Amino acid sequence: MRKAFWFVVCALLGMFYACDSGTSSLGMEIVPESDMVSVNSMNFKVGARSILVDSVLARTSVCYLGNFTDEETGTNVQSDFIVQFSCTENYAFPDTIMGDSAITTEINLYCQEFVGDSLAPLRLSLYPLTKSLDNSKIYYTNINPKDYYDESAGPIATRTFTLSDRQLTDSARTNGYYRNIRIDLPSSLGTDIIRKFKENRKYFANADEFQKNVNKGYYVKLERGEGVMMQIYVSQLNTSFKYFTDSRLGKRDSLVNGLATFSATEEVIQANKIVNNDIQKLINDDKHAYLKTPSGIFTELTLPVEELSQYKDTINSAKLILSAYNSTVDEERALPAPQYILMVKEDNVTSFFDNYKTPDNDTSYMSKFEDEYKNAYTFSNISHLISSIRKELINGEKSDPNWKAKHPNWNKVVLIPIVPTLDAEGKVSMVEHTLDMTYIKLKSEDINLQVIFSKYKQ
């Protein structure tokens, strides 16, 4: 208590007299020399290596479609997806549909962002699902679509396309145009949806009933093509029909066009199937560490906790800077760096995402890429994490001499590219794996933990 008291007194007096050079030592003159606090700074080497990630949790309404080979690394990513559709609550068709049949039925896939060549030709096939995805379950990007559709039955539709539709005029392309892929379906599918409504309106009460009784969804399979990866931010199932409405004279004799739209929303699961090829060569590079998405590569750090444990001093701060190499290809062709990364203990990665956790600046941290000047990620102070791991080590070895051998990841954390969601106050409310095409090469040889210690002079 006595030392703590004098520590606070020193701090307050130091602040009070900081601006007066003539009395700058006055506070210290009343403190016994044995109670003085010393502050030291030391750097500790941090080990880093790339780890292969077979799959990640795919909790997202955004889907990815394409086949792209990165020029800088020579690695390839392929992606297609399972899409399911929802309806608005208690959706209703008009009662006066002419003939109770649909005119056209189609699926539109709207693209927000893409990497690669918008003129690269691709071909896709569309297969109806025979089994829905379960909203209560967790799905990863290594999902096997064959578990949910009948490949032997053949596709219900195919489409060869380029993302940049050259059939459109320049004026149409700039006048409220959204890049999209249109897949024509048999009109009988739309007719079946209308007849389901006539059969039982409860089928359209909510997303779950619609998915269960009306339309289970589709597997959008990439058959061939290479050179572009697209981000599909909206998928829509549309069916058009004609129906009668009242004329100005109050008679039901006006025939008009109607359109029913069912969209892929967060209420139903969308599942990306992502495959990385030729990526092992980056994992085998023991001189550098990498981050690459989607899925792909994370970086594992080995924190120097044992070295730090040799010092009985208090850890005031522990700063970690992860510098990156510049891209070796032109900026227009280079993949962007992950904008945000998460640091979390390796054994906690799965539970962090499965349980919707967010960085707490205690055992998990987030950093934003600083590309303008530093070209680096900075974790300003992970001292709580270091202290927590150090305490766990001490307690573990007290209870079991073989504790470290039984817990090989005890001093390891993983860096994971993420997409944070911010609330109205700017706080992180949700964290998801990024499935965007990103890549960065870290200077693993230069990763040091900058630690500031403090202790009372004896």
Side-chain angles (χ1 to χ4, degrees):
M1 289 293 295
R2 178 169 169 266
K3 289 186 175 183
F5 169 77
W6 284 118
F7 183 83
V8 174
V9 170
C10 289
L12 293 175
L13 288 176
M15 293 172 60
F16 184 78
Y17 293 107
C19 298
D20 187 348
S21 59
T23 59
S24 60
S25 63
L26 181 61
M28 296 302 176
E29 291 174 357
I30 65 173
V31 180
E33 184 176 352
S34 61
D35 287 343
M36 297 288 284
V37 176
S38 65
V39 178
N40 297 306
S41 176
M42 297 181 67
N43 287 342
F44 295 85
K45 181 69 177 175
V46 176
R49 74 181 185 97
S50 302
I51 56 176
L52 182 65
V53 183
D54 171 68
S55 61
V56 297
L57 180 63
R59 186 183 289 132
T60 176
S61 60
V62 178
C63 298
Y64 293 79
L65 180 66
N67 183 337
F68 181 80
T69 300
D70 172 34
E71 179 180 341
E72 186 164 3
T73 64
T75 58
N76 172 267
V77 180
Q78 299 177 29
S79 181
D80 42 31
F81 59 93
I82 292 174
V83 60
Q84 298 181 120
F85 299 98
S86 174
C87 69
T88 57
E89 189 172 345
N90 295 318
Y91 181 86
F93 283 92
D95 292 329
T96 56
I97 294 178
M98 186 181 71
D100 289 345
S101 60
I103 301 171
T104 62
T105 306
E106 65 186 25
I107 286 179
N108 277 321
L109 308 176
Y110 289 90
C111 175
Q112 187 172 28
E113 303 288 345
F114 71 94
V115 173
D117 184 3
S118 64
L119 295 177
L122 299 178
R123 183 175 178 83
L124 62 78
S125 295
L126 198 72
Y127 291 86
L129 299 186
T130 56
K131 182 173 68 173
S132 299
L133 300 177
D134 187 342
N135 287 344
S136 65
K137 293 184 178 180
I138 292 175
Y139 295 93
Y140 285 76
T141 54
N142 62 352
I143 186 173
N144 185 0
K146 291 183 178 180
D147 293 339
Y148 299 91
Y149 80 100
D150 182 3
E151 187 176 25
S152 64
I156 197 170
T158 59
R159 174 73 197 277
T160 300
F161 66 96
T162 62
L163 181 57
S164 181
D165 190 346
R166 305 318 297 175
Q167 295 180 352
L168 292 175
T169 63
D170 291 340
S171 59
R173 202 181 303 279
T174 57
N175 186 23
Y177 171 71
Y178 296 94
R179 296 179 186 270
N180 70 92
I181 306 159
R182 175 178 170 175
I183 308 166
D184 291 323
L185 301 177
S187 60
S188 58
L189 289 177
T191 298
D192 184 60
I193 292 174
I194 295 172
R195 289 176 180 173
K196 288 282 188 180
F197 175 77
K198 296 286 188 178
E199 176 186 331
N200 192 338
R201 295 194 176 198
K202 291 183 179 180
Y203 294 164
F204 295 77
N206 53 52
D208 187 58
E209 290 294 327
F210 181 83
Q211 177 185 325
K212 187 186 305 181
N213 300 294
V214 181
N215 189 290
K216 291 181 172 60
Y218 300 92
Y219 172 40
V220 183
K221 182 182 180 182
L222 182 67
E223 297 286 6
R224 61 174 179 265
E226 185 179 0
V228 64
M229 181 64 70
M230 298 165 282
Q231 183 187 87
I232 307 298
Y233 72 102
V234 172
S235 300
Q236 288 183 340
L237 170 62
N238 300 321
T239 185
S240 65
F241 51 88
K242 289 186 179 293
Y243 69 101
F244 291 97
T245 186
D246 293 342
S247 67
R248 293 180 180 179
L249 299 177
K251 296 181 179 180
R252 184 161 293 183
D253 59 0
S254 296
L255 191 62
V256 297
N257 293 323
L259 182 68
T261 296
F262 307 97
S263 299
T265 67
E266 294 182 356
E267 295 177 282
V268 289
I269 297 175
Q270 320 306 318
N272 292 278
K273 166 66 175 177
I274 296 173
V275 177
N276 283 280
N277 300 303
D278 305 317
I279 204 169
Q280 189 62 44
K281 57 189 174 184
L282 299 183
I283 302 296
N284 295 339
D285 181 0
D286 58 5
K287 295 182 179 179
H288 306 97
Y290 299 89
L291 293 172
K292 194 173 191 309
T293 63
S295 189
I297 302 176
F298 296 162
T299 290
E300 177 193 83
L301 301 181
T302 301
L303 300 176
V305 179
E306 281 190 289
E307 293 179 63
L308 286 165
S309 296
Q310 299 174 11
Y311 300 86
K312 305 304 180 183
D313 308 343
T314 300
I315 299 176
N316 294 89
S317 69
K319 184 177 183 179
L320 188 65
I321 299 177
L322 304 163
S323 300
Y325 291 97
N326 292 321
S327 176
T328 58
V329 300
D330 294 342
E331 184 176 353
E332 291 184 357
R333 304 197 308 276
L335 293 180
Q339 285 304 293
Y340 292 91
I341 61 173
L342 171 76
M343 176 192 291
V344 64
K345 292 181 67 175
E346 185 159 355
D347 287 340
N348 296 346
V349 171
T350 300
S351 62
F352 183 94
F353 289 96
D354 287 357
N355 297 321
Y356 296 87
K357 293 184 179 180
T358 56
D360 57 12
N361 293 323
D362 187 25
T363 58
S364 56
Y365 302 80
M366 185 178 76
S367 177
K368 184 177 181 181
F369 186 58
E370 303 171 73
D371 57 348
E372 188 170 357
Y373 301 109
K374 295 184 179 180
N375 202 38
Y377 301 95
T378 300
F379 293 92
S380 299
N381 190 359
I382 61 170
S383 59
H384 285 190
L385 175 63
I386 298 295
S387 298
S388 174
I389 295 176
R390 184 162 67 167
K391 183 178 180 180
E392 188 178 28
L393 170 66
I394 294 171
N395 293 335
E397 291 190 318
K398 281 182 180 179
S399 60
D400 184 356
N402 298 317
W403 183 85
K404 279 195 300 183
K406 295 177 180 178
H407 299 81
N409 297 329
W410 69 273
N411 60 345
K412 293 177 173 57
V413 295
V414 179
L415 303 177
I416 303 171
I418 57 170
V419 177
T421 299
L422 306 181
D423 61 20
E425 298 178 354
K427 296 180 180 179
V428 178
S429 59
M430 185 171 66
V431 165
E432 297 175 322
H433 289 280
T434 180
L435 299 182
D436 291 342
M437 297 284 295
T438 69
Y439 163 80
I440 199 163
K441 181 179 180 180
L442 300 174
K443 296 181 178 180
S444 55
E445 72 278 10
D446 294 334
I447 302 178
N448 292 289
L449 188 66
Q450 303 169 15
V451 181
I452 296 180
F453 297 98
S454 66
K455 70 175 180 179
Y456 292 101
K457 290 184 177 179
Q458 301 299 320

